[in-house]
Amino acid sequence: MLWIKNGRLVDPKSQTDRVCDICIERDRIAGIFSPGGADQKHREEDRMIDAQGLVVAPGMIDVHVHFREPGFTYKEDIETGAAAAAAGGYTTVICMANTKPVVDNEETLSYLRERAKDMPVHVLNTAAITKGFKGEELTDMIGLKALGAVGFTDDGVPIKDTAIVMEAMKMAKALNVPLSFHEEDPALIGSFGVNQGPVSAAVGVEGAPAVAEDVLVARDCALALSTGAEIDIQHISSGTSVAIVRAMKALGKNIHAEATPQHFSLTEEAVLEKGTLARVNPPLRTEADRLAIIEGLKDDTIDYIATDHAPHSREEKEKDMKSAPSGMIGLETALALGITHLVKPGHLSLSHFLEKLTVNPAALYHLDAGHVAVGGKADLVIFSEDETWTVGESFKSKASNSPFIGDTLQGKVKFTICDGKIVYSDGKF
Ligand code: NCD
Ligand code: ZN
Protein backbone atom coordinates (compact mmCIF):
# COMPACT_ATOMS: atom_id res chain seq x y z
CA MET A 1 0.00 0.00 0.00
CA LEU A 2 0.99 3.61 -0.57
CA TRP A 3 0.19 6.28 2.00
CA ILE A 4 0.03 10.03 1.45
CA LYS A 5 0.41 11.61 4.85
CA ASN A 6 -0.71 15.04 6.05
CA GLY A 7 -1.54 16.48 2.64
CA ARG A 8 -4.16 19.18 2.06
CA LEU A 9 -6.74 17.35 -0.04
CA VAL A 10 -8.47 19.73 -2.45
CA ASP A 11 -11.18 17.87 -4.35
CA PRO A 12 -13.46 20.26 -6.25
CA LYS A 13 -16.18 17.68 -6.95
CA SER A 14 -16.86 16.94 -3.28
CA GLN A 15 -15.91 20.48 -2.21
CA THR A 16 -13.32 18.97 0.11
CA ASP A 17 -10.46 21.11 1.42
CA ARG A 18 -8.89 19.53 4.49
CA VAL A 19 -5.67 17.97 5.76
CA CYS A 20 -5.86 14.17 5.79
CA ASP A 21 -4.06 10.88 5.23
CA ILE A 22 -4.85 8.91 2.09
CA CYS A 23 -4.29 5.21 1.62
CA ILE A 24 -3.91 3.67 -1.84
CA GLU A 25 -4.20 -0.03 -2.54
CA ARG A 26 -3.34 -1.18 -6.06
CA ASP A 27 -5.10 1.28 -8.42
CA ARG A 28 -7.78 2.47 -5.98
CA ILE A 29 -8.14 4.82 -3.02
CA ALA A 30 -8.66 2.47 -0.09
CA GLY A 31 -9.25 5.05 2.62
CA ILE A 32 -9.17 8.73 3.59
CA PHE A 33 -8.42 9.32 7.28
CA SER A 34 -8.00 12.23 9.66
CA PRO A 35 -4.37 13.19 10.28
CA GLY A 36 -2.73 10.50 12.37
CA GLY A 37 -4.50 7.72 10.48
CA ALA A 38 -1.42 6.83 8.52
CA ASP A 39 0.70 6.48 11.65
CA GLN A 40 -1.88 4.24 13.29
CA LYS A 41 -2.74 2.02 10.37
CA HIS A 42 0.29 1.73 8.11
CA ARG A 43 2.23 -1.50 7.97
CA GLU A 44 5.97 -1.95 7.89
CA GLU A 45 6.10 -2.68 4.15
CA ASP A 46 3.91 0.26 3.07
CA ARG A 47 5.42 3.20 1.20
CA MET A 48 4.83 6.64 2.63
CA ILE A 49 4.81 10.07 0.96
CA ASP A 50 5.11 12.94 3.42
CA ALA A 51 2.76 15.56 1.95
CA GLN A 52 3.01 18.00 4.85
CA GLY A 53 2.52 21.50 3.43
CA LEU A 54 1.55 20.13 0.00
CA VAL A 55 -1.74 20.01 -1.89
CA VAL A 56 -3.19 16.65 -2.95
CA ALA A 57 -5.68 16.92 -5.82
CA PRO A 58 -7.24 14.71 -8.48
CA GLY A 59 -4.83 13.96 -11.34
CA MET A 60 -5.34 16.69 -13.90
CA ILE A 61 -7.11 16.11 -17.22
CA ASP A 62 -6.06 17.92 -20.39
CA VAL A 63 -8.72 17.90 -23.10
CA HIS A 64 -6.34 19.22 -25.76
CA VAL A 65 -2.87 17.85 -26.55
CA HIS A 66 -0.92 17.04 -29.71
CA PHE A 67 1.30 13.97 -29.34
CA ARG A 68 2.23 13.88 -33.06
CA GLU A 69 2.03 10.14 -33.55
CA PRO A 70 1.85 8.85 -36.25
CA GLY A 71 3.71 10.99 -38.73
CA PHE A 72 5.51 13.72 -36.81
CA THR A 73 7.45 11.82 -34.15
CA TYR A 74 10.46 14.10 -34.59
CA LYS A 75 8.35 16.68 -32.70
CA GLU A 76 6.89 14.36 -30.01
CA ASP A 77 5.79 10.76 -29.62
CA ILE A 78 3.38 9.09 -27.26
CA GLU A 79 6.10 8.14 -24.74
CA THR A 80 7.60 11.62 -24.51
CA GLY A 81 4.17 13.24 -24.55
CA ALA A 82 2.97 10.98 -21.73
CA ALA A 83 6.14 11.70 -19.73
CA ALA A 84 5.55 15.44 -20.15
CA ALA A 85 1.96 14.96 -18.98
CA ALA A 86 3.06 13.04 -15.87
CA ALA A 87 5.65 15.73 -15.07
CA GLY A 88 2.92 18.38 -15.37
CA GLY A 89 0.58 16.65 -12.92
CA TYR A 90 -1.71 15.20 -15.58
CA THR A 91 -3.07 11.65 -15.38
CA THR A 92 -5.39 11.85 -18.40
CA VAL A 93 -4.82 13.57 -21.74
CA ILE A 94 -6.96 13.72 -24.85
CA CYS A 95 -5.01 13.76 -28.11
CA MET A 96 -6.06 15.74 -31.13
CA ALA A 97 -6.40 14.03 -34.49
CA ASN A 98 -4.09 16.18 -36.68
CA THR A 99 -1.50 13.47 -37.16
CA LYS A 100 -0.28 12.00 -40.46
CA PRO A 101 -2.43 10.31 -41.51
CA VAL A 102 -5.14 12.13 -39.60
CA VAL A 103 -7.21 9.95 -37.27
CA ASP A 104 -10.08 9.58 -39.72
CA ASN A 105 -9.85 5.81 -40.19
CA GLU A 106 -10.06 2.68 -38.08
CA GLU A 107 -6.49 1.53 -38.72
CA THR A 108 -4.87 4.70 -37.37
CA LEU A 109 -7.17 4.84 -34.36
CA SER A 110 -6.60 1.15 -33.56
CA TYR A 111 -2.84 1.72 -33.74
CA LEU A 112 -3.13 4.65 -31.33
CA ARG A 113 -5.36 2.76 -28.89
CA GLU A 114 -2.78 -0.02 -28.82
CA ARG A 115 0.12 2.44 -28.30
CA ALA A 116 -1.70 4.07 -25.39
CA LYS A 117 -1.74 0.82 -23.43
CA ASP A 118 1.54 0.85 -21.53
CA MET A 119 1.83 4.56 -20.90
CA PRO A 120 2.34 6.05 -17.43
CA VAL A 121 -0.84 8.14 -17.82
CA HIS A 122 -4.18 7.60 -19.54
CA VAL A 123 -3.81 8.67 -23.17
CA LEU A 124 -7.15 9.03 -24.93
CA ASN A 125 -7.90 9.84 -28.55
CA THR A 126 -10.28 11.95 -30.53
CA ALA A 127 -10.96 11.21 -34.17
CA ALA A 128 -11.52 13.60 -37.05
CA ILE A 129 -14.94 15.04 -37.81
CA THR A 130 -14.29 15.13 -41.57
CA LYS A 131 -12.29 12.80 -43.79
CA GLY A 132 -8.74 14.08 -44.27
CA PHE A 133 -9.71 17.28 -42.37
CA LYS A 134 -11.08 18.46 -45.72
CA GLY A 135 -14.34 19.72 -44.25
CA GLU A 136 -16.34 17.92 -46.94
CA GLU A 137 -17.46 14.50 -45.77
CA LEU A 138 -18.02 13.11 -42.27
CA THR A 139 -15.85 10.25 -41.02
CA ASP A 140 -17.44 7.00 -39.88
CA MET A 141 -18.18 8.47 -36.46
CA ILE A 142 -20.11 5.38 -35.35
CA GLY A 143 -17.24 3.02 -36.14
CA LEU A 144 -14.59 5.33 -34.69
CA LYS A 145 -16.53 5.78 -31.47
CA ALA A 146 -16.88 2.00 -31.17
CA LEU A 147 -13.08 1.72 -31.47
CA GLY A 148 -12.56 4.12 -28.60
CA ALA A 149 -12.66 7.70 -29.90
CA VAL A 150 -13.87 9.80 -26.94
CA GLY A 151 -14.82 12.77 -29.09
CA PHE A 152 -14.40 14.30 -32.52
CA THR A 153 -12.52 17.34 -33.79
CA ASP A 154 -10.77 18.75 -36.84
CA ASP A 155 -8.58 20.82 -34.48
CA GLY A 156 -6.04 22.86 -36.38
CA VAL A 157 -8.32 23.21 -39.39
CA PRO A 158 -11.57 25.15 -38.96
CA ILE A 159 -14.56 23.62 -40.77
CA LYS A 160 -15.88 26.09 -43.33
CA ASP A 161 -19.08 24.38 -44.44
CA THR A 162 -21.91 25.14 -41.99
CA ALA A 163 -24.02 22.25 -43.29
CA ILE A 164 -21.24 19.76 -42.51
CA VAL A 165 -20.93 21.13 -38.96
CA MET A 166 -24.70 20.81 -38.53
CA GLU A 167 -24.62 17.21 -39.77
CA ALA A 168 -21.70 16.37 -37.44
CA MET A 169 -23.55 17.85 -34.47
CA LYS A 170 -26.66 15.79 -35.18
CA MET A 171 -24.52 12.65 -35.32
CA ALA A 172 -22.60 13.61 -32.15
CA LYS A 173 -25.87 14.19 -30.32
CA ALA A 174 -27.13 10.75 -31.36
CA LEU A 175 -23.83 9.15 -30.28
CA ASN A 176 -23.62 11.16 -27.03
CA VAL A 177 -20.04 12.30 -27.73
CA PRO A 178 -18.64 15.84 -27.60
CA LEU A 179 -17.28 17.80 -30.55
CA SER A 180 -14.53 20.37 -30.15
CA PHE A 181 -13.89 23.21 -32.55
CA HIS A 182 -10.91 25.31 -33.62
CA GLU A 183 -12.61 28.59 -34.47
CA GLU A 184 -10.81 30.75 -37.01
CA ASP A 185 -12.41 31.54 -40.36
CA PRO A 186 -9.55 31.44 -42.90
CA ALA A 187 -11.53 33.82 -45.15
CA LEU A 188 -10.77 36.64 -42.71
CA ILE A 189 -7.17 35.72 -41.95
CA GLY A 190 -4.16 37.34 -43.59
CA SER A 191 -1.70 34.98 -41.92
CA PHE A 192 -2.07 32.63 -38.96
CA GLY A 193 -0.47 32.86 -35.52
CA VAL A 194 -0.09 36.60 -34.79
CA ASN A 195 -2.89 38.98 -33.79
CA GLN A 196 -3.74 41.43 -36.56
CA GLY A 197 -2.77 44.97 -35.53
CA PRO A 198 0.34 46.89 -34.52
CA VAL A 199 2.24 43.75 -33.51
CA SER A 200 1.61 41.89 -36.78
CA ALA A 201 2.64 45.08 -38.62
CA ALA A 202 5.82 45.33 -36.55
CA VAL A 203 6.87 41.78 -37.37
CA GLY A 204 5.87 42.08 -41.02
CA VAL A 205 2.97 39.62 -41.29
CA GLU A 206 -0.69 40.20 -42.16
CA GLY A 207 -2.01 38.63 -38.98
CA ALA A 208 -5.21 36.98 -37.78
CA PRO A 209 -7.97 39.24 -36.40
CA ALA A 210 -10.24 38.34 -33.48
CA VAL A 211 -13.31 38.65 -35.68
CA ALA A 212 -12.19 35.54 -37.59
CA GLU A 213 -12.66 33.63 -34.33
CA ASP A 214 -15.83 35.44 -33.27
CA VAL A 215 -17.84 34.60 -36.40
CA LEU A 216 -17.23 30.87 -36.10
CA VAL A 217 -17.81 30.84 -32.34
CA ALA A 218 -21.20 32.48 -32.93
CA ARG A 219 -22.04 30.07 -35.75
CA ASP A 220 -21.15 26.93 -33.84
CA CYS A 221 -22.88 28.00 -30.63
CA ALA A 222 -26.03 28.65 -32.67
CA LEU A 223 -25.73 25.21 -34.27
CA ALA A 224 -25.22 23.60 -30.86
CA LEU A 225 -28.34 25.33 -29.51
CA SER A 226 -30.31 24.05 -32.46
CA THR A 227 -29.01 20.45 -32.38
CA GLY A 228 -28.43 19.94 -28.65
CA ALA A 229 -24.92 18.56 -29.31
CA GLU A 230 -22.30 18.97 -26.55
CA ILE A 231 -19.60 21.25 -27.89
CA ASP A 232 -16.30 22.64 -26.66
CA ILE A 233 -15.08 25.92 -28.14
CA GLN A 234 -11.33 25.35 -28.11
CA HIS A 235 -8.59 27.71 -26.93
CA ILE A 236 -10.73 30.84 -26.76
CA SER A 237 -8.57 33.92 -27.33
CA SER A 238 -10.89 36.84 -28.04
CA GLY A 239 -12.86 38.87 -25.50
CA THR A 240 -15.79 39.12 -27.92
CA SER A 241 -15.82 35.33 -28.21
CA VAL A 242 -15.99 35.08 -24.42
CA ALA A 243 -19.03 37.40 -24.49
CA ILE A 244 -20.66 35.34 -27.28
CA VAL A 245 -20.15 32.09 -25.35
CA ARG A 246 -21.52 33.73 -22.19
CA ALA A 247 -24.70 34.80 -23.99
CA MET A 248 -25.11 31.47 -25.77
CA LYS A 249 -24.55 29.47 -22.58
CA ALA A 250 -27.48 31.29 -21.02
CA LEU A 251 -29.60 29.71 -23.75
CA GLY A 252 -28.29 26.15 -23.59
CA LYS A 253 -26.19 24.15 -21.14
CA ASN A 254 -24.53 22.04 -23.84
CA ILE A 255 -22.10 24.82 -24.80
CA HIS A 256 -18.61 24.72 -23.22
CA ALA A 257 -15.31 26.47 -23.75
CA GLU A 258 -11.64 26.09 -22.92
CA ALA A 259 -8.86 28.60 -22.33
CA THR A 260 -5.13 27.92 -22.41
CA PRO A 261 -2.46 29.12 -19.97
CA GLN A 262 -0.83 31.11 -22.80
CA HIS A 263 -4.05 33.04 -23.46
CA PHE A 264 -4.61 33.94 -19.79
CA SER A 265 -0.91 34.64 -19.12
CA LEU A 266 0.41 36.48 -22.19
CA THR A 267 -0.53 39.13 -24.72
CA GLU A 268 0.54 39.76 -28.32
CA GLU A 269 3.50 41.72 -26.96
CA ALA A 270 5.16 38.35 -26.32
CA VAL A 271 5.63 38.01 -30.09
CA LEU A 272 7.95 41.04 -30.04
CA GLU A 273 10.01 39.55 -27.24
CA LYS A 274 9.92 35.80 -27.91
CA GLY A 275 9.51 35.71 -31.69
CA THR A 276 8.12 32.52 -33.21
CA LEU A 277 7.90 30.84 -29.78
CA ALA A 278 4.88 33.09 -29.21
CA ARG A 279 3.33 32.30 -32.59
CA VAL A 280 0.22 30.24 -31.85
CA ASN A 281 -3.25 29.60 -33.28
CA PRO A 282 -5.43 31.34 -32.31
CA PRO A 283 -2.97 34.14 -31.55
CA LEU A 284 -2.12 35.81 -28.28
CA ARG A 285 -4.18 39.00 -28.30
CA THR A 286 -4.53 42.22 -26.31
CA GLU A 287 -4.56 42.86 -22.56
CA ALA A 288 -8.33 43.51 -22.84
CA ASP A 289 -8.79 40.05 -24.37
CA ARG A 290 -6.64 38.45 -21.68
CA LEU A 291 -8.68 40.11 -18.92
CA ALA A 292 -11.94 39.04 -20.61
CA ILE A 293 -10.69 35.43 -20.60
CA ILE A 294 -9.94 35.71 -16.87
CA GLU A 295 -13.47 37.09 -16.32
CA GLY A 296 -14.81 34.15 -18.33
CA LEU A 297 -12.90 31.72 -16.13
CA LYS A 298 -14.22 33.46 -13.02
CA ASP A 299 -17.90 33.32 -13.97
CA ASP A 300 -17.61 29.83 -15.52
CA THR A 301 -18.26 30.96 -19.07
CA ILE A 302 -15.02 29.04 -19.64
CA ASP A 303 -15.23 25.51 -18.22
CA TYR A 304 -11.80 24.04 -18.93
CA ILE A 305 -8.15 24.96 -18.83
CA ALA A 306 -6.49 23.04 -21.66
CA THR A 307 -2.88 23.33 -22.74
CA ASP A 308 -3.09 22.85 -26.53
CA HIS A 309 0.37 21.27 -26.01
CA ALA A 310 1.74 21.68 -29.55
CA PRO A 311 5.36 20.49 -29.84
CA HIS A 312 7.51 21.60 -32.79
CA SER A 313 11.20 21.06 -33.48
CA ARG A 314 13.87 23.66 -32.89
CA GLU A 315 14.60 23.86 -36.65
CA GLU A 316 10.94 24.56 -37.38
CA LYS A 317 10.68 27.29 -34.76
CA GLU A 318 13.94 28.87 -35.96
CA LYS A 319 12.29 29.74 -39.27
CA ASP A 320 11.00 33.28 -39.79
CA MET A 321 7.62 34.48 -38.51
CA LYS A 322 5.93 33.74 -41.84
CA SER A 323 7.06 30.14 -42.16
CA ALA A 324 7.52 28.80 -38.61
CA PRO A 325 4.63 26.58 -37.48
CA SER A 326 2.19 27.86 -34.83
CA GLY A 327 1.97 26.31 -31.39
CA MET A 328 3.78 25.89 -28.09
CA ILE A 329 4.26 23.12 -25.56
CA GLY A 330 2.28 23.48 -22.35
CA LEU A 331 1.93 20.35 -20.23
CA GLU A 332 4.87 21.02 -17.93
CA THR A 333 4.06 24.66 -17.14
CA ALA A 334 0.23 24.75 -16.97
CA LEU A 335 -0.25 24.18 -13.24
CA ALA A 336 2.35 26.79 -12.32
CA LEU A 337 0.99 29.33 -14.83
CA GLY A 338 -2.49 28.90 -13.38
CA ILE A 339 -1.29 29.26 -9.80
CA THR A 340 0.87 32.27 -10.72
CA HIS A 341 -1.60 34.14 -12.94
CA LEU A 342 -5.02 33.06 -11.63
CA VAL A 343 -4.82 31.77 -8.06
CA LYS A 344 -2.14 33.94 -6.43
CA PRO A 345 -3.58 37.24 -7.79
CA GLY A 346 -6.97 36.19 -6.34
CA HIS A 347 -8.91 35.64 -9.59
CA LEU A 348 -9.79 32.02 -8.78
CA SER A 349 -9.65 30.02 -5.57
CA LEU A 350 -7.42 26.96 -5.77
CA SER A 351 -10.46 24.68 -5.83
CA HIS A 352 -12.18 26.71 -8.58
CA PHE A 353 -8.99 26.62 -10.66
CA LEU A 354 -8.67 22.84 -10.20
CA GLU A 355 -12.32 22.35 -11.16
CA LYS A 356 -11.38 23.37 -14.71
CA LEU A 357 -8.63 20.75 -14.83
CA THR A 358 -10.44 17.84 -13.14
CA VAL A 359 -14.18 17.46 -12.61
CA ASN A 360 -15.30 19.64 -15.54
CA PRO A 361 -13.26 17.91 -18.28
CA ALA A 362 -14.19 14.50 -16.81
CA ALA A 363 -17.86 15.39 -17.17
CA LEU A 364 -17.53 16.47 -20.82
CA TYR A 365 -15.81 13.23 -21.82
CA HIS A 366 -17.82 10.96 -19.47
CA LEU A 367 -14.65 9.84 -17.67
CA ASP A 368 -14.42 8.07 -14.31
CA ALA A 369 -11.70 10.51 -13.30
CA GLY A 370 -11.21 13.98 -11.89
CA HIS A 371 -12.27 13.34 -8.29
CA VAL A 372 -10.89 11.77 -5.12
CA ALA A 373 -13.13 9.30 -3.31
CA VAL A 374 -12.80 6.08 -1.35
CA GLY A 375 -13.13 3.23 -3.84
CA GLY A 376 -12.37 5.58 -6.74
CA LYS A 377 -9.35 5.56 -9.03
CA ALA A 378 -6.00 6.48 -7.49
CA ASP A 379 -5.09 9.20 -10.00
CA LEU A 380 -3.59 12.10 -8.06
CA VAL A 381 -1.25 15.06 -8.22
CA ILE A 382 0.69 16.31 -5.22
CA PHE A 383 2.08 19.83 -5.55
CA SER A 384 3.40 22.79 -3.66
CA GLU A 385 1.23 25.85 -4.09
CA ASP A 386 3.98 28.19 -2.94
CA GLU A 387 7.33 26.92 -4.20
CA THR A 388 8.87 29.11 -6.90
CA TRP A 389 10.98 27.78 -9.77
CA THR A 390 12.36 29.07 -13.02
CA VAL A 391 11.32 27.36 -16.24
CA GLY A 392 14.43 25.84 -17.77
CA GLU A 393 15.16 24.64 -21.29
CA SER A 394 14.97 20.94 -20.63
CA PHE A 395 11.58 19.31 -20.67
CA LYS A 396 10.30 15.73 -20.56
CA SER A 397 8.65 16.65 -23.84
CA LYS A 398 10.80 16.01 -26.91
CA ALA A 399 10.26 19.67 -27.79
CA SER A 400 11.19 22.86 -25.98
CA ASN A 401 9.13 25.44 -27.86
CA SER A 402 7.93 27.35 -24.83
CA PRO A 403 7.77 31.15 -24.53
CA PHE A 404 7.86 30.68 -20.76
CA ILE A 405 11.51 29.58 -20.58
CA GLY A 406 13.23 31.90 -18.11
CA ASP A 407 10.02 32.86 -16.28
CA THR A 408 9.89 32.37 -12.53
CA LEU A 409 6.59 30.78 -11.54
CA GLN A 410 4.90 29.72 -8.35
CA GLY A 411 3.49 26.19 -7.89
CA LYS A 412 5.50 23.01 -8.40
CA VAL A 413 4.46 19.44 -9.09
CA LYS A 414 6.02 17.03 -6.57
CA PHE A 415 4.39 13.70 -7.39
CA THR A 416 1.99 12.38 -9.98
CA ILE A 417 0.23 9.13 -9.19
CA CYS A 418 -1.67 7.26 -11.89
CA ASP A 419 -3.49 3.97 -11.30
CA GLY A 420 -1.88 3.92 -7.84
CA LYS A 421 1.69 4.11 -9.23
CA ILE A 422 4.09 6.99 -8.80
CA VAL A 423 4.65 8.04 -12.43
CA TYR A 424 6.54 11.25 -11.66
CA SER A 425 8.39 12.66 -8.68
CA ASP A 426 10.46 15.83 -8.77
CA GLY A 427 13.18 14.43 -6.57
CA LYS A 428 14.35 11.09 -5.32
CA PHE A 429 11.71 8.78 -3.93
C1 NCD B 1 -1.59 23.27 -33.28
C2 NCD B 1 -0.58 22.23 -33.70
O1 NCD B 1 0.59 22.56 -33.81
O2 NCD B 1 -0.97 21.06 -33.90
N1 NCD B 1 -1.02 24.58 -33.33
C3 NCD B 1 -1.45 25.67 -32.67
O3 NCD B 1 -0.92 26.76 -32.93
N2 NCD B 1 -2.40 25.64 -31.77
C4 NCD B 1 -2.78 23.11 -34.15
C5 NCD B 1 -3.88 24.02 -33.79
O4 NCD B 1 -4.59 23.74 -32.82
O5 NCD B 1 -4.04 25.02 -34.46
ZN1 ZN C 1 -6.46 24.41 -32.46
Side-chain angles (χ1 to χ4, degrees):
M1 289 203 282
L2 172 66
W3 284 87
I4 302 165
K5 193 176 142 177
N6 276 330
R8 172 186 163 202
L9 173 62
V10 179
D11 179 51
K13 188 174 182 181
S14 61
Q15 296 283 303
T16 301
D17 188 339
R18 68 182 174 103
V19 173
C20 60
D21 290 350
I22 298 173
C23 173
I24 295 168
E25 197 168 2
R26 289 187 292 278
D27 61 344
R28 297 273 142 187
I29 296 186
I32 302 175
F33 304 94
S34 300
D39 289 334
Q40 279 174 21
K41 295 179 199 295
H42 89 280
R43 296 170 311 191
E44 192 79 10
E45 67 273 23
D46 292 347
R47 301 178 85 189
M48 185 88 75
I49 292 175
D50 180 5
Q52 176 86 40
L54 302 177
V55 174
V56 182
M60 294 167 5
I61 302 169
D62 193 346
V63 297
H64 192 149
V65 304
H66 298 271
F67 280 1
R68 308 302 192 198
E69 201 175 323
F72 302 106
T73 52
Y74 64 94
K75 299 177 195 253
E76 190 83 286
D77 59 42
I78 294 173
E79 268 97 12
T80 55
Y90 290 90
T91 52
T92 302
V93 293
I94 298 180
C95 298
M96 298 296 104
N98 63 339
T99 50
K100 193 172 152 193
V102 297
V103 191
D104 63 355
N105 64 87
E106 299 200 347
E107 197 186 335
T108 306
L109 181 60
S110 303
Y111 165 79
L112 288 169
R113 294 317 307 136
E114 200 53 39
R115 286 283 286 130
K117 272 182 185 156
D118 297 312
M119 294 302 142
V121 301
H122 308 293
V123 178
L124 306 178
N125 292 97
T126 56
I129 294 175
T130 69
K131 289 186 182 163
F133 275 27
K134 291 207 176 88
E136 291 163 3
E137 201 185 333
L138 293 192
T139 55
D140 171 16
M141 291 171 66
I142 299 173
L144 292 164
K145 187 199 171 195
L147 276 179
V150 293
F152 292 85
T153 177
D154 278 10
D155 177 45
V157 184
I159 305 174
K160 284 188 263 183
D161 188 336
T162 308
I164 285 281
V165 179
M166 180 85 163
E167 202 188 325
M169 285 200 197
K170 285 181 181 161
M171 182 60 92
K173 168 80 179 155
L175 291 174
N176 191 26
V177 283
L179 297 179
S180 59
F181 291 102
H182 182 127
E183 307 291 34
E184 284 188 288
D185 188 340
L188 301 181
I189 288 178
S191 68
F192 281 92
V194 180
N195 191 34
Q196 197 169 75
V199 170
S200 64
V203 297
V205 296
E206 286 183 62
V211 65
E213 178 173 337
D214 304 335
V215 289
L216 290 195
V217 170
R219 178 196 73 176
D220 291 343
C221 287
L223 292 172
L225 288 179
S226 161
T227 59
E230 293 280 340
I231 69 158
D232 171 22
I233 303 295
Q234 295 180 320
H235 40 45
I236 205 160
S237 73
S238 130
T240 302
S241 284
V242 176
I244 294 168
V245 170
R246 182 177 291 120
M248 293 292 197
K249 269 186 124 160
L251 305 173
K253 61 182 174 27
N254 56 324
I255 293 169
H256 311 279
E258 52 178 66
T260 71
Q262 50 271 26
H263 291 108
F264 65 65
S265 303
L266 297 175
T267 65
E268 58 184 348
E269 302 288 316
V271 172
L272 302 174
E273 203 189 323
K274 309 277 176 164
T276 61
L277 288 178
R279 182 186 154 152
V280 64
N281 302 337
L284 304 169
R285 301 200 195 272
T286 65
E287 181 63 2
D289 292 302
R290 191 183 78 86
L291 294 175
I293 289 167
I294 293 175
E295 279 310 309
L297 286 162
K298 283 166 82 163
D299 72 6
D300 291 329
T301 298
I302 300 171
D303 312 73
Y304 322 112
I305 291 171
T307 64
D308 187 13
H309 178 81
H312 294 292
S313 72
R314 188 174 294 274
E315 295 69 39
E316 289 171 315
K317 278 295 194 181
E318 276 170 358
K319 291 180 182 170
D320 64 21
M321 193 58 80
K322 284 197 180 83
S323 24
S326 296
M328 55 184 70
I329 57 168
L331 285 164
E332 294 169 72
T333 47
L335 179 74
L337 287 167
I339 289 174
T340 304
H341 296 291
L342 299 175
V343 178
K344 292 298 176 186
H347 298 307
L348 297 182
S349 69
L350 185 61
S351 180
H352 196 188
F353 166 61
L354 290 171
E355 215 177 273
K356 298 175 193 290
L357 290 151
T358 57
V359 56
N360 291 356
L364 180 69
Y365 283 97
H366 317 292
L367 307 175
D368 172 21
H371 64 281
V372 179
V374 175
K377 283 210 318 216
D379 290 353
L380 300 165
V381 57
I382 303 174
F383 63 87
S384 162
E385 197 192 341
D386 299 314
E387 189 174 323
T388 56
W389 60 290
T390 301
V391 183
E393 287 193 37
S394 77
F395 295 91
K396 299 282 179 194
S397 169
K398 202 177 271 191
S400 56
N401 55 310
S402 168
F404 298 106
I405 292 170
D407 283 14
T408 296
L409 303 175
Q410 213 171 351
K412 190 153 201 316
V413 178
K414 294 290 173 182
F415 294 92
T416 306
I417 296 171
C418 187
D419 278 336
K421 294 195 252 321
I422 298 171
V423 292
Y424 171 80
S425 80
D426 86 327
K428 288 197 195 77
F429 182 72

